[in-house]
Amino acid sequence: MPAASIISVLDDDPYVRAAINNLLESRGYVVHTFASAEEFLSSAHSSRTSCVVADVQMPSKTGIDLLTQMRAQGSATPFILITAFPDEGVRMRALKAGATCFLGKPFVAADLMQCLEQALAAGKTSTE
């Protein structure tokens, strides 16, 4: 049996973190949650995560900033970016930076799961 994928969830809203954590754990994923990009980057999980689900609007470092930084450091970790303020300009910036998916909050659980499956499949392809 393959090891469960490790998903890192970054959102400054504790209720959003808890909701995504509960959803993903109920589907068998190992989940680590973080209140900020800095907290994630200073953890041991930043280099061992299978996928990052990150809020676009976070204090200090946005989800897009984090994605850009990780790509500049050579990381191919798939990213799903979520935001309560979706607009076409932000969506285009997120996708151009390399996000696999971009979801507006609130989103349907099935949409997140579809994005996650897509991201994990893309992540496996990039590491083979």
Side-chain angles (χ1 to χ4, degrees):
M1 179 175 181
S5 295
I6 299 170
I7 312 301
S8 294
V9 176
L10 292 71
D11 200 303
D12 55 322
D13 183 328
Y15 298 106
V16 172
R17 282 196 313 271
I20 296 173
N21 178 72
N22 292 342
L23 171 65
L24 298 180
E25 282 186 345
S26 76
R27 304 290 173 94
Y29 294 101
V30 174
V31 182
H32 300 286
T33 61
F34 305 92
S36 69
E38 293 80 9
E39 185 181 333
F40 168 71
L41 289 170
S42 67
S43 77
H45 304 293
S46 64
S47 63
R48 297 193 315 247
T49 191
S50 306
C51 183
V52 173
V53 178
D55 189 12
V56 171
Q57 277 88 16
M58 292 186 290
S60 187
K61 187 182 296 278
T62 71
I64 295 173
D65 292 341
L66 174 63
L67 169 57
T68 301
Q69 177 182 345
M70 289 185 67
R71 290 294 182 267
Q73 294 171 344
S75 172
T77 302
F79 265 70
I80 298 169
L81 292 175
I82 58 176
T83 183
F85 306 100
D87 72 39
E88 189 59 23
V90 174
R91 186 181 83 76
M92 293 306 295
R93 281 185 31 235
L95 297 176
K96 185 177 180 183
T100 302
C101 278
F102 179 84
L103 295 172
K105 297 177 195 174
F107 48 81
V108 177
D111 290 344
L112 177 60
M113 297 314 299
Q114 181 179 4
C115 282
L116 186 56
E117 290 170 16
Q118 179 184 349
L120 292 173
K124 285 182 181 158
T125 302
S126 70
T127 60
E128 290 178 353

